[in-house]
Amino acid sequence: MVHLRASEVRQLLHNKFVVILGDSVHRAVYKDLVLLLQKDCLLTPSQLKAKGEESFEQDILLEGGQLGPMHNGIEYREVRQFCSGHHLVRFYFLTRVYSDYLKAILQQLQSGEHFPDVIIMNSCLWDISRYGEHSWSSYLENLTRLFGHLGQMLPESCLMVWNTAMPLGDKLSAGFLPPEPQPWTNALKFRVVEANFYSSVEAKNHGFDVLDLHFHFRRAQQHHLQRDGVHWDEYAHRQLSQLLLAHVADAWGVELPQRDPVGRWIKDGPARGERGQGAERQPLARRGQRTLSLPGPLPPRTCYPLLPLPSPRPPLLPLLPRQPPPIRFHQPMPQFLLCPQDACLSSDRPDQFSLSHFHSDGPFETDFMLGPQPPVPPFPTPRYHRQRAPVVHRGFPQYSPRGPYGPWRQPRPFRRRAPAHPKPRFQ
């Protein structure tokens, strides 16, 4: 996976409206995306733990949070928004995958001035742990209602991405859990796997994209899962953002920059050694400064010839010396004596005979060569060596390197595709 820098993320999401719906894990997804749109650095632990603050990295709190009562109940609300000249990102806190509150959110988005270009959504932990003994059956029913509603109201230009729930730890102590211990708490991590299966199947049946975060982070709990067993550190969330952006770029048919993948650099932090060292990961060393240093300069790209190289020429045969011209002799034919007894004549008359029946070993008027003939070569003797003219290749198109975001192929067929807007949409 290619690591995108802040400038490239701004270019990818230029004039786009992104909506993120989910619990506290997806609130961190929103924060990391807002931070990445502005600068190349990671979230701090205090920013990850903050809840309902009035402002985060130049965003605003629209509803809930510190504007109202702060609690851990199912009625908690928090709506945040980041708006720049060419980017709009909004977050809605959810405690249930489909409810009257979610229908009000969808109605607000549908009647607004700008409809979202991308919707990123997940809701699972609150659904299967905070709504009584019928939480599981209610969750499955609400999944069907949610995707059916989205299929009817979302336009073709909107890209809907359903994220599966992240893996859980063995011991859970997060604030969303009921205050009283429940017998099913220890089995919640296995219930999440089952819930991810049903939600992903339902999303695919309605033609929506699915990003399996549980699969990507299934082996990262040891180093990047927080002590509460639910939330993740800043390195995991940067990896999650890169996965989301790569998925969006693939859906839009955008070619990402050709750089070495730095997934291990994001997972293990900038304090790790060079690429190619031991595969085992050590626990991260916490540092006070969380600034994300950019990768080093790119290695020079190997240039290959655009035209095929000419094949090596066979060795030339040595030229034969020029032979002298033959010496010609002119010798008149001698007078033949007619002998009627020895010659074969066609008539008995001695003065008539046929040269066609005359055989003699005497010389005739012809050309003769002095000395033996030289061996005749299998091919005509060249008078001089002809140099081959240089081969000129014509008709090849001029090579122009591709830019980081030039369209390189047709976008893959998906249900919803976002058009580009030539003018800024947000003030």
Side-chain angles (χ1 to χ4, degrees):
M1 184 186 64
V2 177
H3 170 65
L4 298 180
R5 302 181 178 122
S7 59
E8 297 162 343
V9 175
R10 288 192 293 268
Q11 186 176 0
L12 176 64
L13 300 181
H14 186 80
N15 284 347
K16 295 296 187 292
F17 180 18
V18 181
V19 173
I20 302 176
L21 304 100
D23 53 12
S24 56
V25 175
H26 276 66
R27 177 171 55 204
V29 173
Y30 160 82
K31 289 184 175 181
D32 191 76
L33 182 58
V34 168
L35 184 63
L36 189 55
L37 280 172
Q38 303 177 70
K39 49 189 173 181
D40 288 297
C41 63
L42 299 175
L43 294 169
T44 63
S46 60
Q47 290 174 333
L48 284 171
K49 295 179 181 179
K51 170 184 176 181
E53 64 270 35
E54 293 184 0
S55 178
F56 163 79
E57 294 293 337
Q58 302 183 15
D59 80 334
I60 56 176
L61 179 64
L62 298 179
E63 179 185 347
Q66 294 183 1
L67 300 179
M70 299 289 293
H71 57 85
N72 291 329
I74 59 177
E75 300 297 329
Y76 177 75
R77 300 288 183 263
E78 183 177 349
V79 181
R80 315 192 66 88
Q81 178 174 291
F82 169 78
C83 183
S84 67
H86 298 279
H87 305 91
L88 180 60
V89 185
R90 189 179 299 170
F91 168 73
Y92 295 91
F93 188 90
L94 298 181
T95 61
R96 202 165 197 179
V97 68
Y98 191 74
S99 60
D100 294 337
Y101 177 62
L102 180 67
K103 290 188 287 186
I105 293 174
L106 298 179
Q107 180 63 30
Q108 177 186 4
L109 295 176
Q110 191 173 16
S111 59
E113 181 181 359
H114 306 290
F115 199 86
D117 298 286
V118 183
I119 294 180
I120 302 170
M121 183 177 180
N122 172 263
S123 183
C124 178
L125 296 180
W126 288 74
D127 293 80
I128 63 179
S129 62
R130 295 296 300 270
Y131 289 92
E133 58 182 2
H134 300 291
S135 299
W136 179 255
S137 58
S138 299
Y139 180 65
L140 299 182
E141 294 176 0
N142 288 332
L143 284 175
T144 304
R145 297 172 183 172
L146 168 70
F147 293 118
H149 189 170
L150 293 177
Q152 295 177 1
M153 58 91 58
L154 290 184
E156 295 294 327
S157 61
C158 181
L159 174 63
M160 166 66 187
V161 181
W162 174 262
N163 290 343
T164 61
M166 301 277 282
L168 299 179
D170 296 329
K171 296 180 180 180
L172 306 179
S173 59
F176 75 92
L177 294 173
E180 300 83 10
Q182 300 294 332
W184 44 261
T185 302
N186 296 332
L188 190 60
K189 62 179 301 182
F190 304 105
R191 267 296 175 87
V192 167
V193 178
E194 189 176 359
N196 287 337
F197 170 76
Y198 283 103
S199 63
S200 60
V201 169
E202 194 69 29
K204 292 179 180 179
N205 289 340
H206 288 79
F208 298 114
D209 289 18
V210 175
L211 181 58
D212 194 351
L213 298 180
H214 194 284
F215 171 80
H216 287 286
F217 293 91
R218 67 193 185 281
R219 298 178 181 175
Q221 297 98 319
Q222 181 180 358
H223 301 294
H224 302 289
L225 189 63
Q226 302 286 1
R227 293 182 178 180
D228 60 4
V230 176
H231 300 93
W232 296 76
D233 65 3
E234 60 272 24
Y235 297 104
H237 276 287
R238 180 51 52 89
Q239 176 80 354
L240 195 159
S241 298
Q242 297 293 338
L243 288 170
L244 275 173
L245 294 171
H247 186 94
V248 171
D250 181 69
W252 289 344
V254 176
E255 183 180 7
L256 296 179
Q258 300 298 324
R259 289 199 297 267
D260 293 336
V262 290
R264 181 179 299 178
W265 178 83
I266 296 177
K267 294 178 183 178
D268 301 337
R272 292 287 293 162
E274 297 180 357
R275 183 181 59 183
Q277 294 181 354
E280 297 183 359
R281 293 194 294 261
Q282 302 298 329
L284 295 174
R286 303 301 179 192
R287 298 184 177 182
Q289 185 178 1
R290 297 292 177 178
T291 303
L292 185 64
S293 59
L294 293 177
L298 300 178
R301 181 174 296 179
T302 304
C303 297
Y304 298 95
L306 299 180
L307 304 180
L309 296 177
S311 58
R313 298 176 179 176
L316 297 177
L317 296 177
L319 297 178
L320 297 177
R322 184 175 181 180
Q323 299 294 335
I327 302 176
R328 300 176 180 271
F329 291 92
H330 180 72
Q331 181 176 1
M333 180 180 296
Q335 298 293 334
F336 293 96
L337 299 178
L338 297 179
C339 301
Q341 301 297 328
D342 297 333
C344 298
L345 304 176
S346 58
S347 175
D348 292 338
R349 298 178 58 180
D351 54 346
Q352 295 182 359
F353 64 95
S354 174
L355 293 177
S356 61
H357 292 82
F358 178 80
H359 299 276
S360 173
D361 294 335
F364 289 90
E365 184 179 5
T366 180
D367 295 337
F368 293 91
M369 299 289 295
L370 293 180
Q373 284 281 357
V376 180
F379 55 90
T381 302
R383 295 182 176 272
Y384 57 88
H385 171 60
R386 292 184 178 180
Q387 297 291 341
R388 294 179 58 184
V391 180
V392 180
H393 300 271
R394 303 183 185 274
F396 287 84
Q398 183 180 5
Y399 172 76
S400 57
R402 295 173 178 171
Y405 292 103
W408 60 280
R409 58 173 173 78
Q410 294 294 333
R412 65 177 176 82
F414 69 103
R415 183 178 178 85
R416 290 164 177 84
R417 192 173 290 113
H421 301 280
K423 297 182 180 180
R425 299 168 49 195
F426 318 117
Q427 300 298 331

